[in-house]
């Protein structure tokens, strides 16, 4: 049994089935309270409908639409990342490994442990003609670094090999003051054993022999000889300045 | 499930959402009584609907999205309630017993009313009843649709509307008395 106020409200809303409506309409005729409930319901309904207008919402709709677009963009990006995550991981891994290899090859200094290898690991052989020397160097390094063509004396011996995984060439030179050794080492810019720095040069002893080193064209160049550092620097300067 | 712009499903959703958005926002505004909050609430409801659009049964979009809105609001309201900000939603405590309706409505009460006064009176009606009255009298929904939105039986909808109107009547009569439009 529906309470009177609810019955009259539902009648005002047109939400009663035929049987209930008939009963409600019968009640309206006989029950003053029911009639009053009905009239109140109708008046209140009309009043709310008349006065409570839809709110202006065009701005809010624009914002809501923009938010949907934003969600689409984010989801699209997430979808892409999700779909190609393995590929992206692979690319990052390759980039990291490449960077590490590059870093290891280019900037890691030549450690003290490898200094002995500079002399013992590169076995000298007679140099032959200047062309033969050039060819040996080119074969090892893939090019002839500019300083090799401007050495301050005659090349008597040549040795090619690897020092700490880097291509290296050792040349013995005879100049007016005696023997010099010239090293060309790829992919490094310094050597731990040479701690003193003067201008562009690193100075020190390699295997007990005074040496100066400098960097040119991606190579570490070392000039070593049983003579003073000033003399070595002078020779290095003449190599650097000759064109 | 989401759809890209230009996707027929996305366009279908947008078309349907645009048609019901004034109702959605209006409902949110009358629930929160704050334009900014209403904007957030209606937007949030729209986003939830968009994300769940593939689960929409295709029958009554307006009822479906309004249900999302009211659920969102009630959850938010209950959260606030737990935080001690707002009052109770308990139906039995939410309203004084309706005044006896032996007398016919005084025309004068209604003749003097302005939109803002009715809006204000409606805003004072306890929430569960207000939602039912708004869905019925502003949105023009049937009791079945309201039952779907509010997830209660039709009988409860009928009761809520009756109690909501009784509360509204009290508010309006009090207002008319205060203004001197009617006498005790």
């Amino acid at each position: 049994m529906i309470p009177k106020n609810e019955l009259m409200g539902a009648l005002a809303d047109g939400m009663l089935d035929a049987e209930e409506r008939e009963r409600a309409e019968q009640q309206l005729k006989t029950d003053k309270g029911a009639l009053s409930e009905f009239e109140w319901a109708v008046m209140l309904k009309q009043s709310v409908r008349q006065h409570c207008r839809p709110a202006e919402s065009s701005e809010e709709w624009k914002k809501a639409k923009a938010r949907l677009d934003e969600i689409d963009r984010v989801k699209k990006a997430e979808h892409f990342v999700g779909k190609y995550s393995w590929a992206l991981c692979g690319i990052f891994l390759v980039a990291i490994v490449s960077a590490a290899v590059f870093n290891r090859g280019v900037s890691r200094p030549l450690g003290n442990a490898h200094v002995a290898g500079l002399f013992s690991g590169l076995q000298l052989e007679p140099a032959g003609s200047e062309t033969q020397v050039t060819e040996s160097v080119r074969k090892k390094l893939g090019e002839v670094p500019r300083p090799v063509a401007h050495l301050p004396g005659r090349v008597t011996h040549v040795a090619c090999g690897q020092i700490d995984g880097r291509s290296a060439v050792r040349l013995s030179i005879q100049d007016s003051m005696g023997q010099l050794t010239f090293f060309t080492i790829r992919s490094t810019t310094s050597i731990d054993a040479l701690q003193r720095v003067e201008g562009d040069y690193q100075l020190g002893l390699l295997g007990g022999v005074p040496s100066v080193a400098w960097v040119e064209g991606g190579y570490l160049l070392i000039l070593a000889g049983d003579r003073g550092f000033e003399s070595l620097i002078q020779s290095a300067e003449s190599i650097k300045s000759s064109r | 499930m989401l759809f890209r712009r230009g996707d027929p499903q996305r366009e279908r959703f947008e078309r349907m959402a645009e048609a019901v958005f004034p109702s959605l926002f209006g409902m949110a505004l009358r629930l929160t009584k704050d334009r900014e909050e209403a904007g957030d609430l209606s937007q949030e409801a729209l986003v939830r609907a968009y994300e769940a659009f593939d689960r929409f049964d295709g029958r009554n979009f307006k009822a479906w999205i309004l249900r999302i809105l009211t659920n969102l609001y009630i959850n938010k309201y209950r959260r606030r309630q737990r935080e001690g900000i707002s009052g109770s939603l308990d139906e039995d405590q939410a309203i004084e017993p309706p005044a006896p309706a032996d007398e016919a409505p005084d025309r004068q009460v209604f003749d003097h009313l302005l939109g803002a006064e009715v809006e204000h009176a409606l805003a004072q009606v306890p929430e569960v009843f207000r939602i039912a009255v708004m869905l019925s009298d502003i949105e023009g929904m049937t009791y079945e649709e309201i039952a779907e939105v509010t997830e209660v039986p039709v009988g409860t909808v009928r009761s809520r509307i009756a109690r909501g109107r009784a509360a509204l009547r009290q508010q309006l009569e009090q207002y008319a008395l205060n203004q001197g439009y009617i006498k005790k």
Side-chain angles (χ1 to χ4, degrees), chain A residues 2 21 42 156 197 210:
Chain A
I2 304 170
R21 192 169 65 241
V42 171
T156 58
V197 176

Side-chain angles (χ1 to χ4, degrees), chain B residues 61-127:
Chain B
F61 185 76
K62 186 175 171 179
W64 181 67
I65 202 165
L66 283 174
R67 184 171 71 212
I68 293 173
L69 180 105
T70 43
N71 282 339
L72 254 177
Y73 175 73
I74 287 166
N75 290 338
K76 199 175 170 185
Y77 183 91
R78 288 196 174 140
R79 210 165 33 238
R80 269 200 239 158
Q81 192 182 17
R82 277 199 296 274
E83 288 160 10
I85 295 171
S86 198
S88 170
L89 265 176
D90 190 321
E91 287 191 38
D92 292 334
Q93 296 170 10
I95 184 174
E96 298 285 313
D102 291 341
E103 291 172 15
D106 192 331
R107 271 266 156 212
Q108 285 198 315
V109 174
F110 295 96
D111 289 347
H112 289 90
L113 287 177
L114 297 172
E117 287 144 7
V118 177
E119 287 276 12
H120 179 75
L122 188 62
Q124 308 308 308
V125 174
E127 203 140 63

Side-chain angles (χ1 to χ4, degrees), chain A residues 7-233:
Chain A
L7 188 69
M8 293 302 131
L11 182 65
D13 289 329
M15 292 291 147
L16 294 176
D17 61 31
E19 193 186 322
E20 288 167 336
R21 192 169 65 241
E22 201 184 324
R23 185 166 66 85
E25 284 169 352
Q26 203 58 41
Q27 216 172 337
L28 280 181
K29 290 175 191 164
T30 56
D31 184 341
K32 201 181 161 194
L35 181 63
S36 171
E37 287 282 2
F38 175 73
E39 286 176 342
W40 268 110
V42 171
M43 291 293 275
L44 288 163
K45 188 178 176 69
Q46 281 175 352
S47 184
V48 169
R49 186 167 286 176
Q50 182 191 343
H51 292 297
C52 299
R53 296 277 174 197
E56 163 56 35
S57 61
S58 54
E59 275 307 305
E60 282 73 15
W61 168 246
K62 276 185 204 161
K63 285 181 196 165
K65 222 168 91 170
R67 178 125 181 244
L68 293 185
D69 290 341
E70 183 61 33
I71 287 169
D72 278 354
R73 269 196 295 276
V74 170
K75 290 287 173 188
K76 204 172 156 186
E78 281 174 359
H79 175 74
F80 178 82
V81 171
K83 194 173 175 185
Y84 300 108
S85 57
W86 285 110
L88 290 170
C89 285
I91 289 169
F92 283 128
L93 187 68
V94 167
I96 290 165
V97 169
S98 306
V101 167
F102 180 77
N103 197 38
R104 176 186 157 87
V106 168
S107 57
R108 188 166 53 86
L110 197 64
N112 288 332
H114 301 287
V115 168
L118 281 174
F119 294 96
S120 61
L122 300 173
Q123 294 300 317
L124 289 168
E125 289 175 9
S129 68
E130 197 177 320
T131 315
Q132 282 172 316
V133 171
T134 307
E135 273 316 299
S136 299
V137 172
R138 192 193 306 282
K139 206 171 161 189
K140 185 65 197 169
L141 302 176
E143 61 175 335
V144 181
R146 192 200 60 80
V148 172
H150 299 89
L151 295 173
R154 191 171 59 83
V155 178
T156 58
H157 292 83
V158 61
C160 298
Q162 296 283 116
I163 300 291
D164 191 20
R166 298 158 168 121
S167 299
V169 172
R170 173 185 174 189
L171 301 173
S172 282
I173 305 162
Q174 179 72 47
D175 71 355
S176 57
M177 292 174 69
Q179 282 286 330
L180 277 173
T181 303
F182 183 73
F183 294 98
T184 306
I185 306 164
R186 174 181 271 166
S187 304
T188 188
T189 54
S190 63
I191 183 163
D192 284 346
L194 306 183
Q195 291 295 324
R196 246 175 79 196
V197 176
E198 275 188 31
D200 293 341
Y201 300 103
Q202 302 166 55
L203 313 179
L205 299 176
L206 288 181
V209 181
S211 306
V212 297
W214 72 99
V215 176
E216 186 179 326
Y219 294 94
L220 180 70
L221 307 170
I222 305 169
L223 202 54
D226 224 349
R227 59 187 77 173
F229 284 115
E230 276 179 27
S231 169
L232 287 171
I233 289 173

